[in-house]
Amino acid sequence: MFGRSLLALALLVTGCAGRGLLTDGSSVSVGTFNHGLLRRGHALPWKGEGYVVPELWRKRGSRYGTDELAFAIARAARRVRREYPGSTLGVGDLSKRGGGDSELHRSHENGRDADLIFFAVDAKNRPVSPVNSMPRYGADLRARSPAPTPGVVFGPFSPRRFDVKRNWALVRALVEDPDIDVQFLFCHERLKQAMLDYARSIGEDPEVIDEAASLLHQPGDSLPHDDHLHLRIYCSSDDRPYGCVDRGPQRWWKKRYKYMAPSREPLNDGGLSSALAKLAVGPLFGLGRAAP
């Protein structure tokens, strides 16, 4: 409770400082994915080119993310639609307005997490639209009943199969997006392998495959994610000085370099100014870099 109060104080401090001193009016992610808040969160429109938020998730209203996350989802959906006409990505929960605790998630608190419903096809290999359900995909890649979730009543869904090529296209679009750094793409191991095998079979760039293989990860402390892709991005370089904290490994050297670089400043001091900013901001906000 005390930690949450400090996070609220952090937002109050940055808010009272006024536009232009600490922020330019864009979103600010504060804290960690499971203990955070979101200032000026970007509301993802209910529908856009290549994606839709089904009614079940619209009613929850958890459609707020950082600017980086919201724009990345829209870009990825648009790219898949243009590569494979007829594709429609289903988007589930991001964060609540203002962030903070969620009744259904142990994360999604500071605008850097999003649940993306897997693309699927019917028996004739035609894309099917997202519905008010999150079916699980078994070893045969066919849909089965959603995992029971307290407080959630999923709707019916037509027979469908995990769409390997479109789901790989989604992963590739996120991995290749130059405006975000993906930290994790949580999904079941068998679905990960199906996508990577497909990518290799069509001759995708080995570097992209290697990066995707590292980012795709079945979590060991939660549901197996055989029903959706959980996207988490790193704190933006603009948000870190104001209390955004990444938990978990820095997976790629190019991301490690960016992590140490002060926002909009040349890296001319070995990252010292960024490190000092963290030391100065951390105690005020009650935040520190968590162990992996």
Side-chain angles (χ1 to χ4, degrees):
M1 192 68 182
F2 179 67
R4 189 76 61 190
S5 298
L6 286 174
L7 286 174
L9 174 62
L11 291 182
L12 179 62
V13 169
T14 57
C16 291
R19 292 175 65 118
L21 181 58
L22 292 182
T23 115
D24 59 1
S26 55
S27 66
V28 179
S29 177
V30 179
T32 63
F33 65 86
N34 63 347
H35 192 71
L37 297 171
L38 177 64
R39 180 171 185 249
R40 295 196 185 112
H42 186 106
L44 183 74
W46 297 129
K47 187 176 183 180
E49 183 182 353
Y51 80 88
V52 66
V53 179
E55 185 65 24
L56 176 65
W57 288 274
R58 291 191 189 195
K59 290 179 179 178
R60 294 183 194 169
S62 296
R63 59 167 175 154
Y64 295 88
T66 62
D67 298 327
E68 294 83 8
L69 180 73
F71 291 137
I73 292 170
R75 282 193 300 270
R78 182 168 58 247
R79 178 173 171 179
V80 177
R81 166 72 67 90
R82 293 179 180 181
E83 290 180 7
Y84 299 106
S87 305
T88 302
L89 173 67
V91 179
D93 288 338
L94 277 65
S95 296
K96 297 190 303 184
R97 184 171 187 171
D101 290 335
S102 169
E103 297 80 8
L104 295 172
H105 303 281
R106 290 188 292 169
S107 56
H108 291 256
E109 290 205 11
N110 67 348
R112 297 188 291 113
D113 293 85
D115 289 341
L116 307 178
I117 302 171
F118 287 127
F119 289 103
V121 292
D122 64 15
K124 296 184 178 180
N125 213 35
R126 298 173 301 194
V128 293
S129 299
V131 291
N132 293 319
S133 191
M134 226 179 231
R136 294 175 291 169
Y137 292 92
D140 59 359
L141 302 185
R142 297 188 182 281
R144 51 189 179 136
S145 299
T149 305
V152 177
V153 178
F154 290 109
F157 59 91
S158 59
R160 57 192 62 205
R161 180 169 43 85
F162 183 82
D163 188 345
V164 178
K165 71 177 182 181
R166 285 182 174 83
N167 286 309
W168 165 250
L170 173 63
V171 167
R172 184 187 60 204
L174 294 168
V175 169
E176 291 185 334
D177 191 325
D179 291 336
I180 57 167
D181 281 327
V182 177
Q183 183 176 25
F184 286 114
L185 291 166
F186 293 116
C187 80
H188 197 286
E189 181 67 23
R190 64 170 166 263
L191 304 180
K192 166 184 175 176
Q193 291 305 318
M195 289 187 285
L196 295 178
D197 289 347
Y198 173 76
R200 295 185 185 101
S201 74
I202 62 173
E204 290 281 17
D205 184 342
E207 287 191 15
V208 175
I209 295 175
D210 287 346
E211 187 167 0
S214 179
L215 299 175
L216 288 161
H217 176 72
Q218 180 177 332
D221 60 349
S222 65
L223 294 173
H225 286 68
D226 54 358
D227 55 356
H228 72 281
L229 183 72
H230 180 150
L231 165 66
R232 178 174 300 152
I233 64 173
Y234 285 108
C235 297
S236 74
S237 58
D238 288 333
D239 287 353
R240 292 189 184 104
Y242 308 125
C244 191
V245 178
D246 292 315
R247 292 187 62 185
Q250 296 293 314
R251 292 179 175 271
W252 294 89
W253 281 107
K254 64 182 180 180
K255 294 177 181 176
R256 194 182 302 270
Y257 177 91
K258 178 178 179 181
Y259 186 88
M260 296 302 296
S263 176
R264 299 191 180 95
E265 296 176 15
L267 187 62
N268 56 12
D269 58 1
L272 179 60
S273 60
S274 179
L276 289 176
K278 283 178 176 293
L279 289 175
V281 172
L284 172 63
F285 292 175
L287 302 171
R289 185 165 176 76

